[in-house]
Amino acid sequence: LAMAEGLQIERAVFISPAADPARYAEEFAKMLAVGPTALAEMRRRSEARLRFRWSDLNVPRMAARLETPLLIVHDQGDLTVPWDEGAAIAAAWPGAQLVTTTGLGHRDIVRDPDVVARTVDFLRLPESGRGSPPFCAVNDEEAWVAHDLFERDGRRRRLFGISDTH
């Protein structure tokens, strides 16, 4: 939505994206047994606060007018957001690249070293004719990325007193 509204960025990466977050929110509400009245009120309040309509969040519909280089990484077995949704965005977004993984699901995909490396490599690619790669905050925060993404399980084990031998 930000890019469709004019945000200028050099490259973008979507990991396990929902093609239509409004539809996903409705499915999630059904799963949690949130009734239609409560969902409608939640929608009304969020639209007023954020100043956009949920219907504006259809990514494939917005994609046709976007030119930002895009990498989409989505797992074939994602049970939370089906792979077809990432594929639909890739098909609609001019020049988008779709990388399909297997066995990572919806959550582990962000911590997979190959996915992280592929994403960083994509973000480091220079724009044609520019010469040097664009600045990427990941470069300067590599230690933070490794710690936050890859050490999450270790933090859980320490927090909950779970030994590595279980």
Side-chain angles (χ1 to χ4, degrees), residues 16 74-75 77-79 101-109:
S16 305
H74 212 129
D75 193 81
D78 189 332
L79 299 176
T101 62
T102 55
L104 298 175
H106 188 71
R107 289 177 180 78
D108 291 339
I109 195 168

Side-chain angles (χ1 to χ4, degrees), residues 17-20 59-61 63 72 74 82-93 98:
D20 187 357
V59 182
R61 192 171 39 228
I72 299 170
H74 212 129
W83 174 89
D84 295 350
E85 298 210 21
I89 296 169
W93 193 296
L98 174 63

Side-chain angles (χ1 to χ4, degrees), residues 144-157:
W144 175 84
V145 170
H147 183 267
D148 191 57
L149 295 178
F150 297 111
E151 298 299 324
R152 187 170 296 155
D153 290 334
R155 286 196 309 272
R156 282 191 193 122
R157 283 191 296 274

Side-chain angles (χ1 to χ4, degrees), residues 9-26:
I9 60 172
E10 293 190 39
R11 298 182 162 280
V13 175
F14 293 174
I15 299 179
S16 305
D20 187 357
R23 185 176 49 76
Y24 177 75
E26 291 169 4

